[in-house]
Amino acid sequence: MPLPKSDLPQGTLDLLVLKVLALEPLHGYAIAQRLQQLSREVVRVTQGSLYPALHRLENRGLLTAEWKVSDTGREAKFYRLTRKGRTFMQEEVASWQRLTNAVGLILDAARGDAT
Amino acid sequence: VSRWRRLWQRERLLDAELRDHVERLVVDYVRDGATEEEARRRARLEFGGIDAVKDQCRDVRRTRLVDGLAQDLRYGARVLRRTPGLTVFAIASLALGIGANSAIFSLVDHVLLQSLPVRDPGRLVLLDGGAWTNPVWEQIRDRQETFSVGALAWADARFDLSQGGQTELVEGVWASGGFFDVLGVGAGLGRTFTAGDDRRGGGPDGPVAVISHAFWQRRFGGDPRAIGGSIPINGVPFTIVGITPPSFLGLTPGRSFDVAVPLATEGLVSGRRSWLDARDASMLEIMARLGPGQTVDEATQSLRQAQAQIRAATLPHGWPARMLDRYLSGPMTLVPAPGGPTSFRTRYERPLWILMAVVTLVLLIACANVAHLLLARAAGRQRELTLRLARESPGSYWWKVRCWPAWARCSACASRSGPPA
């Protein structure tokens, strides 16, 4: 039974895409699949948001793209993280973790009060 | 061109990328047990509008470009507003330079570059040697078939259209009957005059006139009832029979005619001072149209066979014998004249080109001046610019880093070539 899907907070998709690509270069379809697998089917990205995000990141120089022959035998556009993208991702990850920690602390404290 | 090719290439790749995604969805659905058709339907459904996605991807680039441009324009406008004096000076000097250039160029174009707006101007030849008398023209007119498919003559004049105490001088043309037919200029409205109208005292319709489109607009406000109306030329009433097309301004470059009347009516207007029979009054330019396949030299040869007769029949009265000898022996030569009479061109060609060069120089100097001003200001704003360059987006960075040195180079070159006026 499928779990309810969660909406991604604004700007999170960029971070997730960068993180997935940090492991290996992938094409758009594989990125969507990978996000779905890694999040255990919770995160489902629509193509309408994935591709504009990829193009935006490419435009900002965080990703580069290359056309390569893929497993299907056709050419596909593989995205790869640039050095700038890697630095950016690390900063974003750190900042995300700071934020979630802080949110977690607040939530924990609030729970403590309630019990 | 390469810019469009790049754009097209980018579109093609975007399309390929998205199609690849859909294909992979289809493959996955088929693997899960769907039929090819069903898989395709579900893939399309899941992907949503492919064009909408494409549009969003394009927007990523487009907005960046437009934003950068708008930002630069706003910045430019702000700088210009902040220094109204400089702005006015720069705009005024550039406007003057550009205005002078376009004015002089249109003159050069009209006088030196353009062919006459007539049928096949390359076949027109001019009888060389300046102006000719009317008796010579009448001899040539009667022999025109022997050396061409048609000849014409005309003389520019000032016509006095004064009526009831109000003086009105217009640019007039005495034109032979074949003038419009040989040139191949039809009437824009009404009819042009013909050999039948070119009779002393007037043709079957009496003295007739053809007016130019510009004159028709100016004097009659473009009223078609002007045709059939009457205009007095030096007090003699002429009937307007037609209006020429707007493109035809007459044969003399740089001068546009208002009223053309048949040559033979000159006697009617000038009375006793008429030069129609004067053998020493050279008033007329004479042109002819070459026949198909006929060369200028062939036409000249044919004309020279009749030259002795023409000369003998038109000997000026009372000239010394020495000059008569020269008159009789002077060869008649036809020269190509696709742009009208060459005498006018040769007379004005050099001055016009010099004028053109001068105004071009003025524009260059204006540019140099503006460049100097901007350079001086840029030097004063070094700190501000450095700050802006450091924090602005790459797009405008490019413009400023590339454009300011260009300005500097231009003005450096200009100042080396001479002091600005």
Side-chain angles (χ1 to χ4, degrees), chain B residues 41-52:
Chain B
R41 198 183 60 81
R42 279 168 59 186
R44 243 197 324 271
L45 222 67
E46 188 188 321
F47 198 89
I50 196 162
D51 284 317

